[in-house]
Amino acid sequence: MKHLSPRRQELVRPVLENPREFVLLSVRAAAAKLNTDPATMVRIVQRMGFDTYRSFQNYLRDLSIANATSFDGLQESAKTSADIPDYLHATMEQDVRNLNAVRTKLDPKRIASAAKRIHGARRRLILGGDLAENLVHYFEHHLTIIGLPVFTATTVGLSMHITRSIGRGDVVIAISFRKGLRQTVEGMQRARANGAYCIGITGTYVSPIARFADEFFVAPVESGSYIDSYVAPMALVNLILVACANFDRESSLAMLREAAKEQRQGFRWFDSE
């Protein structure tokens, strides 16, 4: 936007504020909606840094996903006449598409590199709030089992205070989707400014988590309903955990050997005898 004149900024602003209304429009239709001509629309898009109008549409798609609300999701699913089995089938199909996005676009070498960072960190911190808190605790539990203890911050206060002491030599894993939870984004920014290496897990390339992390991984959360689907993010976290466990197999096996005693005979487990 900073490369546009004030007049053109105001012209294109409705598109960025309401991406869902423009994402499927051709350049001619979008220009007509904005009371301008297609040539001007193309010049604006190119001035903003997009090679083609199609690239701009892809950006709008990610932006519309990031800004979507629960209301948007359920309203969108109501556009087709269907009964409950149809909704369930559509939800399952979307989950499969989300998983395929992780499977086809992920570079295993990047996962292995992240595991190396996590292993070599002086301290490890996982940031996340709201629904992402479930992923934070899942991540924490399994890293701790293989001898990689972590700090977690899932509230505003903890995110603010703990990231002030995180710095060089530390690794931060920030998990947030859609527009990005403020406490998570700002906590990651604070830690990175202190010198920590930040790994982001998010749902789109336009997420502030992706923008401010040292490296990031994308796992879509679209569901076609009012919920966010965490099937793909859970699969992604599992991949990172597997990489961490196998980075130093002997150490992991030693820790798991001790854990196995409790898992077989510990007081936590129900004894049917």
Side-chain angles (χ1 to χ4, degrees), residues 89-129:
H89 177 74
T91 298
M92 183 66 73
E93 288 298 310
Q94 183 62 63
D95 283 346
V96 171
R97 286 194 291 272
N98 292 347
L99 277 173
N100 280 335
V102 171
R103 183 169 65 91
T104 59
K105 296 180 180 180
L106 207 61
D107 182 354
K109 292 182 180 178
R110 292 183 60 229
I111 292 285
S113 176
K116 182 178 180 180
R117 288 271 186 183
I118 293 169
H119 257 274
R122 181 179 62 130
R123 291 178 297 179
R124 307 163 193 89
L125 169 65
I126 308 177
L127 296 172

Side-chain angles (χ1 to χ4, degrees), residues 241-259:
L241 288 170
V242 168
C244 287
N246 285 280
F247 180 81
D248 185 349
R249 285 181 60 84
E250 290 304 315
S251 175
S252 296
L253 285 169
M255 296 299 298
L256 292 173
R257 191 174 291 112
E258 290 297 316

Side-chain angles (χ1 to χ4, degrees), residues 33-51:
K33 193 176 179 71
L34 295 171
N35 296 316
T36 188
D37 59 271
T40 299
M41 192 68 193
V42 170
R43 284 194 292 270
I44 289 174
V45 166
Q46 291 176 339
R47 187 64 176 161
M48 290 174 69
F50 298 95
D51 293 332

Side-chain angles (χ1 to χ4, degrees), residues 64-69 176-180 202-204 206-208 221-223 225 227-229:
S64 64
I65 292 171
N67 292 336
T69 65
S176 193
F177 303 93
R178 300 296 183 186
K179 295 171 67 175
T202 190
T204 69
V206 301
S207 163
V221 295
E222 295 114 286
S223 71
S225 186
I227 60 175
D228 283 346
S229 170

